[in-house]
Amino acid sequence: MSEAKIALTVSYLLNLEESQDGFKHITLGKKQITQFITPLISVGLIIWGFYLGVNSLGRDYVILGAIFLLVQSLIRYVLLPQIFKRQFVKYQLGKSQQTVELSQNVFKVTSQTHERSYAYSEVKRFVEGRLTYVVELKNRVVIIIPKRILTEPQHKTLLENTFKRI
């Protein structure tokens, strides 16, 4: 049996900013509409409170909506990034080297602990972020590939075209 020709091989260590970018795209970026529902409900409560009148029952709705909006903002933009940073540092997630090899029918992901091959048909979603590319597989495996390692334009084009055609 002949060995499949490898079109692209990239090895990398993720830094904190790249991990956060990939994590953001895989969690918050999944359903664009759902990340706006709870803030819209909070704003709706505030508007309803002003409609009822700030001197009566409406004051309670305005306060409730403002508290909900503040709590949501704190969780999304302060608490979750701090928790992620703490876990990243504690478990030294960026210290494990990962290698991705693209060939004609499959791509191989190698880390320090194991090596796995995946068919391109197993790719569920491919997202291009600010610092990374995120490949999500149907079995919920997520592969984060930093853009900085693709130094040549043809490598970037090859990677994007390979996963975007899925």
Side-chain angles (χ1 to χ4, degrees):
M1 196 174 224
S2 65
E3 186 71 25
K5 184 180 176 194
I6 296 172
L8 176 66
T9 301
V10 290
S11 293
Y12 55 89
L13 296 171
L14 286 175
N15 60 31
L16 178 61
E17 293 81 22
E18 292 165 345
S19 296
Q20 285 176 325
D21 184 55
F23 181 74
K24 179 183 80 172
H25 285 288
I26 208 62
T27 56
L28 298 177
K30 275 192 173 181
K31 300 172 185 113
Q32 292 294 328
I33 191 80
T34 57
Q35 67 179 336
F36 296 113
I37 289 177
T38 51
L40 285 175
I41 291 171
S42 299
V43 170
L45 282 171
I46 294 170
I47 292 170
W48 181 252
F50 281 121
Y51 175 75
L52 291 177
V54 203
N55 296 330
S56 62
L57 183 63
R59 179 185 66 206
D60 297 335
Y61 282 104
V62 170
I63 292 170
L64 187 64
I67 288 172
F68 283 167
L69 199 58
L70 179 69
V71 168
Q72 292 165 19
S73 299
L74 285 174
I75 288 173
R76 182 173 287 168
Y77 299 111
V78 177
L79 186 65
L80 286 178
Q82 287 297 337
I83 290 172
F84 185 84
K85 182 178 180 181
R86 182 172 181 249
Q87 294 297 96
F88 184 87
V89 171
K90 181 178 180 182
Y91 295 108
Q92 298 180 352
L93 298 175
K95 299 220 183 221
S96 62
Q97 183 170 355
Q98 187 166 313
T99 303
V100 176
E101 293 179 353
L102 302 179
S103 59
Q104 187 172 1
N105 298 323
V106 295
F107 65 99
K108 189 188 310 182
V109 180
T110 308
S111 68
Q112 292 175 348
T113 57
H114 51 65
E115 179 177 312
R116 298 243 167 96
S117 293
Y118 301 101
Y120 290 113
S121 60
E122 293 182 51
V123 175
K124 180 179 179 182
R125 196 165 62 113
F126 176 73
V127 179
E128 181 178 354
R130 185 174 54 89
L131 300 172
T132 59
Y133 294 105
V134 179
V135 180
E136 181 183 11
L137 304 178
K138 292 177 182 172
N139 62 358
R140 296 185 176 202
V141 170
V142 175
I143 302 160
I144 301 172
I145 304 169
K147 287 183 174 181
R148 68 175 159 74
I149 62 165
L150 301 169
T151 55
E152 298 181 28
Q154 63 264 25
H155 290 167
K156 179 182 177 205
T157 305
L158 177 65
L159 181 82
E160 289 176 357
N161 291 341
T162 300
F163 288 112
K164 282 184 180 178
R165 69 177 175 175
I166 310 302

